[in-house]
Amino acid sequence: MTSPSPSSRKSLSKIACNRLQKELVEWELNPPAGFKHKVTDNLQRWVIEVNGAPGTLYAGETYQLQVDFPEHYPMEAPQVIFIPPAPLHPHIYSNGHICLDILYDSWSPAMTVSSICISILSMLSSSPAKQRPADNDRYVKNCRNGRSPKETRWWFHDDKV
Amino acid sequence: MGADTEPGKEDRCQELAKSSSFHHRIYSEVEEIGWENLVKLGDDLTFLSFRVMDKNGRVHILELTLEKTYPNCPPSVAADVPYIFNLVWSMDSKLKDVVLQFQRHLEKLQEFWLTLDDIDKTLWIAVPKHLHSSLSCRLINIGDDCCIMLSLNAKDPRELPECRFLGSDAKVHHLRKKWRINGKRCMLPIDRIKDETFTDNLAKILDMPLPKPPNKQKNDNQIECGVCYAQYLPIDDELGANSGSGTDYTCENSNCSRAFHSVCLGDWLCSITTTRQSFDILFGNCPYCSNPVAVRIAGGK
């Protein structure tokens, strides 16, 4: 399926561990609506269940997000992908990679897993059509060697969806 | 039988169509306000809360509850303000209009909050410990085991506030007298022209210097680092002299005041391309409020 990205293969630093434990506690106290964290003993890889918001194209559908944290989280963004099958969306590639600026260039340590989840759900909710990005096949072919989406140079050209 | 179920089915279809147009409407109206401003969204979309910033950078949460018949009836509004505004609603109104009206309401309240900021910064607040934007009361310690309870008028914060005195009879009696005599003279509208603060006026009325907040209050505030979420860095040789140290940097924007370890903030600033460096100082922006920040590079002993 998806191999761990080079950046997350190294184990978490003490600082990253501490911060993630606190994020997890906060998540359990106050989980974002529509999401469920699947409990594992792996702090470095979270698997999160996403339920499409009612009244949107994805209502009633369930997907899984895989969140991998780099050694120096939160200095670096986590790697977030959908575990295939990924939802049909103009910004989501069939291999699960997501074109969303906050996962790459616009990341900041003021964000959290929870705030990422909310952004992803709102991206899904505002989708006008269930379709793949125009360059899906080319992109997915280029990623065959297990490349992380964080190594892609993304173009954030569309701020409407 | 068939004739009975058919209309039932139609009703169900109509109901679904209605609910789907409701959802569409809400999503497009949230879009107009901006998804980044949405804080919470109820499962059936009848509850929404938005983050709204006023012109002085204070962040407010506006909560809206919708009826299923929306937009036929206006949303009900709740927020962290001392009094709520009268929502003007017509058939063409949208959620964006509620936000705009709320922003106008916030404008009106600026003087009230500025007055409270002055009080909170200069005086020794006994209660409340956790300040909330909707509160217009403060219990203030004025020394000598005396307290005063001030209630500001949110609509006109410069008006002489309601004041109750707590303490020994003799002292309270003395203070009441001062309040009665001086109260009318100070805090008159004319004082607005002069650049006198509320707390200056208060000291004049009571005819005594008012004690400043004790330093320990600083520690009551948020002290965890906004990057690593810990108060103390781990004990780690890699961190050298910073191993185990507490937060030592605070964002200067008084509405943000996030605490950081300068090591953490510096590490973050080093990892992004927009940061500038001059000698061993990094210049960048607070990750929370984007206010400019400047930190010394870690390890520059």
Side-chain angles (χ1 to χ4, degrees):
Chain A
M1 206 167 40
T2 45
S3 57
S5 71
S7 59
S8 66
R9 222 173 274 151
K10 273 194 164 174
S11 64
L12 295 171
S13 69
K14 277 187 193 170
I15 289 180
C17 240
N18 187 355
R19 160 142 174 169
L20 277 174
Q21 271 157 359
K22 291 198 173 160
E23 275 197 51
L24 193 54
V25 169
E26 175 57 33
W27 175 294
E28 265 145 27
L29 291 173
N30 190 14
F35 294 91
K36 219 177 119 198
H37 172 247
K38 290 195 155 181
V39 182
T40 62
D41 54 3
N42 188 351
L43 193 61
Q44 194 162 10
R45 169 172 288 178
W46 294 18
V47 175
I48 296 167
E49 218 175 77
V50 192
N51 288 307
T56 69
L57 291 174
Y58 307 90
E61 298 175 13
T62 301
Y63 298 96
Q64 290 196 325
L65 284 171
Q66 175 179 288
V67 187
D68 284 296
F69 297 95
E71 178 191 5
H72 290 296
Y73 180 78
M75 301 305 167
E76 264 179 67
Q79 175 196 295
V80 184
I81 57 168
F82 276 102
I83 299 175
L88 276 168
H89 184 283
H91 292 174
I92 301 172
Y93 291 89
S94 55
N95 62 355
H97 292 194
I98 307 165
C99 178
L100 179 64
D101 59 349
I102 59 161
L103 297 178
Y104 313 105
D105 302 358
S106 306
W107 165 257
S108 119
M111 294 171 194
T112 61
V113 183
S114 176
S115 69
I116 291 176
C117 285
I118 293 171
S119 298
I120 290 177
L121 189 62
S122 69
M123 183 178 107
L124 283 179
S125 298
S126 53
S127 169
K130 278 186 161 181
Q131 61 187 46
R132 287 281 174 229
D135 59 340
N136 186 64
D137 293 348
R138 187 162 46 88
Y139 178 79
V140 173
K141 216 160 103 193
N142 280 334
C143 292
R144 259 198 207 141
N145 54 358
R147 194 172 73 163
S148 159
K150 290 174 75 181
E151 288 157 55
T152 303
R153 260 195 287 150
W154 295 95
W155 270 85
F156 306 108
H157 45 277
D158 179 3
D159 55 1
K160 286 183 205 72
V161 179
Chain B
M1 215 26 206
D4 277 348
T5 50
E6 273 316 300
K9 218 178 188 179
E10 241 166 57
D11 283 354
R12 176 85 186 119
C13 281
Q14 265 177 4
E15 203 178 284
L16 275 175
K18 225 192 271 169
S19 112
S20 137
S21 79
F22 172 78
H23 285 126
H24 266 278
R25 187 176 178 112
I26 301 302
Y27 283 118
S28 75
E29 291 191 12
V30 171
E31 184 81 47
E32 280 180 3
I33 298 168
W35 284 98
E36 67 280 12
N37 300 316
L38 185 71
V39 182
K40 260 192 187 152
L41 184 60
D43 273 343
D44 58 355
L45 309 192
T46 55
F47 176 81
L48 305 97
S49 71
F50 292 97
R51 193 183 292 114
V52 181
M53 199 189 271
D54 68 27
K55 68 170 185 194
N56 283 313
R58 272 185 210 86
V59 174
H60 303 273
I61 300 293
L62 174 67
E63 297 180 336
L64 303 176
T65 314
L66 310 181
E67 297 289 331
K68 275 288 179 194
T69 55
Y70 178 85
N72 293 337
C73 53
S76 58
V77 181
D80 55 348
V81 288
Y83 66 102
I84 204 80
F85 56 102
N86 288 323
L87 183 63
V88 180
W89 191 258
S90 72
M91 276 310 287
D92 309 322
S93 299
K94 293 178 168 186
L95 295 180
K96 173 106 190 171
D97 298 309
V98 184
V99 173
L100 289 175
Q101 289 181 45
F102 180 59
Q103 276 167 334
R104 279 198 294 272
H105 186 59
L106 293 177
E107 291 292 301
K108 279 192 221 153
L109 285 162
Q110 288 311 307
E111 200 186 350
F112 167 69
W113 283 315
L114 288 174
T115 309
L116 282 177
D117 280 351
D118 168 35
I119 295 175
D120 293 337
K121 263 185 218 138
T122 0
L123 301 179
W124 183 352
I125 308 299
V127 179
K129 284 275 181 248
H130 300 284
L131 304 170
H132 191 263
S133 312
S134 66
L135 291 174
S136 51
C137 282
R138 293 288 187 273
L139 186 64
I140 298 160
N141 194 334
I142 55 170
D144 267 351
D145 298 320
C146 275
C147 280
I148 56 173
M149 175 72 126
L150 283 187
S151 309
L152 264 65
N153 179 351
K155 289 179 179 162
D156 187 1
R158 281 307 187 107
E159 193 179 74
L160 187 67
E162 210 182 291
C163 185
R164 282 166 52 203
F165 299 88
L166 301 126
S168 72
D169 281 351
K171 281 176 196 151
V172 165
H173 182 74
H174 171 75
L175 287 170
R176 275 213 191 96
K177 213 166 116 192
K178 291 273 181 210
W179 188 265
R180 232 182 4 251
I181 298 167
N182 298 335
K184 285 190 194 96
R185 267 190 290 139
C186 301
M187 306 229 182
L188 283 174
I190 198 156
D191 277 332
R192 282 179 216 214
I193 303 160
K194 288 188 269 165
D195 220 11
E196 291 214 331
T197 62
F198 182 93
T199 47
D200 287 342
N201 268 333
L202 190 65
K204 248 197 240 164
I205 296 180
L206 296 172
D207 198 15
M208 61 185 276
L210 298 173
K212 302 229 167 313
N215 281 333
K216 70 161 178 52
Q217 263 198 336
K218 219 171 156 189
N219 299 332
D220 285 347
N221 290 335
Q222 177 259 341
I223 37 166
E224 275 156 15
C225 169
V227 173
C228 74
Y229 285 13
Q231 183 180 354
Y232 298 102
L233 284 169
I235 310 285
D236 195 327
D237 290 342
E238 261 181 55
L239 292 164
N242 293 306
S243 170
S245 63
T247 45
D248 55 353
Y249 185 89
T250 310
C251 175
E252 281 172 14
N253 173 2
S254 60
N255 293 309
C256 173
S257 303
R258 281 305 291 218
F260 297 99
H261 296 110
S262 48
V263 188
C264 292
L265 188 56
D267 275 358
W268 162 245
L269 292 177
C270 281
S271 75
I272 49 173
T273 52
T274 50
T275 304
R276 287 177 304 113
Q277 182 177 348
S278 169
F279 297 101
D280 58 348
I281 310 272
L282 292 167
F283 295 91
N285 301 94
C286 170
Y288 285 83
C289 70
S290 300
N291 206 53
V293 292
V295 285
R296 201 170 289 276
I297 292 175
K301 285 155 206 172

